[in-house]
Amino acid sequence: MTATGSASASVRPRQVRTAAVRALPAPVVALGVFAAVRGAGALLLALGSWWAGRSPVRVLGSSWDSVWYLAIASHGYGRTQMWADGGWVQSDCAFFPLYPLLVRLAGATPWAALLVAWTAAAVAAVGVYRVGELVYGPRVGVLLVAVWAVVPHAVVLSLAYTEPLLSALAAWALYALLRGRWLWAAALAVLAGLTRPTGIAVAAAVSVTALHALWVRRSRAPEVWAAGLLAPAGWAAYVLAVGVRTGDPAGYFTVQRRWGSRFDFGVGALDSVGRVLSGGQVPLATVVTVAVLAVAALMAVLLVLDRTPLPLLVHTAVLLVITFGGAGFFESKPRFLLPAFPLLLPVAAAMARARPRSAVVVTAGLAGLSYGYGLYLLLVARVPL
């Protein structure tokens, strides 16, 4: 065989693989990228748990808030835990009902909780792709999913937490808004409002966009009115239900305050930033949290300068206000921003302009850092997520 023939034979399989990938629908590619990145992360976390002598299923499916969700799924609401040293009175009414309900329907076990979370994460990945594709094109959509899968707190997307479910509902609600499907957007916003306190950001995106359509664009479509009014219903219904249950109109906010969570207009966050900047022995999780919040603020500015569509801006802005302005478990703040995936649009757009090999290298490097940080959070620092 000649040297030319040998070279052609060696190149042909690569060309076949490349053609096969290009033939796949872009959403399938995006989902494959997400599954590969987060699947590898979950596998590493499972191996790390096993090496540390801990049950991988317990680490993935029964860590921190997952314990509360599983208890609600198994026994319903009614659990209260008191901490004499911190003065906290932790009630399970702090947790919204949609995720525990889905876990209960799936079997109310750690594996069931993981199944619901992982399915929601996959649905979210396709929704994130669709938003990126609609705003910037298919290439940016795929890269947006890749970057979203490797942010420092993306480990939460592999856990039995509510962020995957809220991200899925938020992504598809925003996509529906961008496509003018008002009632779909409103229905998804109602479900988002039953998932987490931060689900109100999805409702805000729908209601503000509807107000803009009615006031600025002079729309008279009844579905716009309906969407704007119905979007906050899920969040409001649960807050009112807790008020009725506790006999206190502000019962939900009282429950949150007793957990140590309240809106302090960023005083607690600024205090943590000051401790990091002043030096001394500050936990790595706190340093990373400060860095993530700083980058998120910068990305928000870039979103505004880039004239990002109104629904994405409103959704992201409300999540940023809640994250920066809320007091509580400081190291948990970055996971609150996982549904704020539009923040990553400037990064994905920049990567789309680079050479494909550079995008792959950057994604692989970020994935390595994300995996290492996830192992640190769950197996070393064990800080509340």
Side-chain angles (χ1 to χ4, degrees):
M1 182 180 291
T2 63
T4 303
S6 176
S8 299
S10 64
V11 170
R12 193 173 297 115
R14 181 183 301 173
Q15 293 174 334
V16 171
R17 288 194 299 270
T18 302
V21 170
R22 288 178 178 174
L24 291 173
V28 175
V29 175
L31 182 58
V33 168
F34 179 80
V37 172
R38 289 304 344 139
L43 178 60
L44 285 174
L45 190 55
L47 292 174
S49 302
W50 175 78
W51 182 80
R54 299 178 63 191
S55 165
V57 176
R58 288 186 63 84
V59 171
L60 292 167
S62 300
S63 291
W64 300 107
D65 289 357
S66 300
V67 176
W68 289 89
Y69 294 126
L70 282 170
I72 295 170
S74 299
H75 309 293
Y77 285 93
R79 176 187 174 193
T80 299
Q81 186 168 326
M82 301 182 183
W83 299 87
D85 52 350
W88 294 341
V89 180
Q90 297 178 329
S91 166
D92 57 10
C93 288
F95 298 95
F96 280 54
L98 183 58
Y99 178 67
L101 174 61
L102 294 175
V103 173
R104 182 181 183 86
L105 294 175
T109 65
W111 274 116
L114 287 173
L115 175 63
V116 172
W118 291 350
T119 301
V123 173
V126 180
V128 169
Y129 164 79
R130 284 300 189 190
V131 172
E133 175 199 39
L134 195 59
V135 177
Y136 282 110
R139 182 173 172 80
V140 172
V142 172
L143 289 170
L144 179 62
V145 172
V147 177
W148 182 62
V150 298
V151 294
H153 274 65
V155 63
V156 175
L157 297 174
S158 300
L159 304 181
Y161 264 55
T162 52
E163 272 70 23
L165 180 58
L166 180 57
S167 296
L169 295 168
W172 285 105
L174 293 173
Y175 178 73
L177 270 180
L178 294 173
R179 295 295 301 271
R181 297 172 181 171
W182 291 99
L183 296 182
W184 274 108
L188 292 167
V190 170
L191 293 176
L194 292 169
T195 303
R196 285 192 54 78
T198 48
I200 192 63
V202 184
V206 175
S207 295
V208 172
T209 306
L211 180 62
H212 180 269
L214 293 168
W215 191 10
V216 177
R217 298 184 179 179
R218 302 298 180 183
S219 173
R220 293 295 180 266
E223 60 267 25
V224 179
W225 281 98
L229 294 173
L230 290 175
W235 185 90
Y238 183 70
V239 170
L240 290 174
V242 175
V244 171
R245 182 185 181 95
T246 60
D248 174 8
Y252 175 76
F253 303 101
T254 302
V255 168
Q256 287 285 5
R257 187 173 64 253
R258 289 174 177 173
W259 268 82
S261 298
R262 66 188 188 283
F263 195 81
D264 68 350
F265 298 91
V267 173
L270 289 175
D271 179 67
S272 297
V273 171
R275 286 190 287 114
V276 171
L277 296 179
S278 63
Q281 294 192 1
V282 181
L284 175 61
T286 303
V287 175
V288 172
T289 299
V290 170
V292 168
L293 295 182
V295 171
L298 175 61
M299 293 298 101
V301 172
L302 293 178
L303 279 182
V304 174
L305 295 177
D306 200 37
R307 297 184 180 179
T308 303
L310 179 63
L312 306 187
L313 285 176
V314 174
H315 171 69
T316 303
V318 173
L319 281 175
L320 285 171
V321 169
I322 294 172
T323 301
F324 280 88
F329 301 107
F330 183 72
E331 287 78 8
S332 299
K333 289 182 178 293
R335 74 175 171 90
F336 299 161
L337 292 176
L338 283 172
F341 62 89
L343 285 170
L344 302 171
L345 277 168
V347 178
M351 290 174 64
R353 293 190 290 269
R355 296 175 59 185
R357 181 174 298 179
S358 300
V360 171
V361 170
V362 169
T363 302
L366 292 175
L369 293 174
S370 179
Y371 296 159
Y373 188 59
L375 288 168
Y376 167 78
L377 282 178
L378 287 169
L379 301 178
V380 179
R382 299 191 185 185
V383 296
L385 283 175

